[in-house]
Amino acid sequence: MLIMFSSFAKAQEKVIIHINAKFNQSNDWYGLKSLTGVRVFSGYIEDVPELKEKYNVTRVPTIILFYDNKEYKRWEGELDMKVHANLKIVQWDIDHL
């Protein structure tokens, strides 16, 4: 389902995709369920290996915000394999597209 998000996305729709690896599942980004005004897709690279190449994922987890089917912003896991994005800042980015 995640790999197909662009076929379901409507013009000027806001979409977040969250890509992680199963071995790092405990570090899924905490804020996904709290986001509003955006469609959220989540998946693991082991389940859909094409994600890594399609979205140029070099670190997990990776969160990408799309607007109108174009990448707007990206947050990537750091050395501790966690995304340190603040929920309020991510929501602000969504709200101000």
Side-chain angles (χ1 to χ4, degrees), residues 44-56:
Y44 297 105
I45 55 176
E46 294 91 346
D47 294 336
V48 189
E50 302 86 32
L51 293 175
K52 186 176 179 181
E53 187 173 320
K54 180 172 178 139
Y55 299 112
N56 194 30

Side-chain angles (χ1 to χ4, degrees), residues 14 65 72-73 75 88-97:
K14 301 169 189 177
L65 173 59
Y72 174 75
K73 188 145 189 185
W75 299 269
K88 289 180 181 181
I89 292 171
V90 174
Q91 187 64 59
W92 189 94
D93 284 329
I94 292 166
D95 295 341
H96 290 87
L97 279 175

Side-chain angles (χ1 to χ4, degrees), residues 10-28:
K10 300 172 187 158
Q12 297 189 356
E13 184 175 28
K14 301 169 189 177
V15 175
I16 285 263
I17 64 169
H18 173 268
I19 303 165
N20 201 356
K22 285 184 178 180
F23 72 85
N24 194 42
Q25 190 172 4
S26 64
N27 288 325
D28 283 348

Side-chain angles (χ1 to χ4, degrees), residues 59-86:
R59 294 186 260 167
V60 291
T62 294
I63 301 167
I64 308 171
L65 173 59
F66 289 87
Y67 178 67
D68 198 19
N69 290 322
K70 295 181 180 100
E71 184 174 330
Y72 174 75
K73 188 145 189 185
R74 176 183 292 242
W75 299 269
E76 297 178 312
E78 298 187 20
L79 290 176
D80 60 359
M81 300 188 82
K82 295 178 183 179
V83 171
H84 294 281
N86 179 290

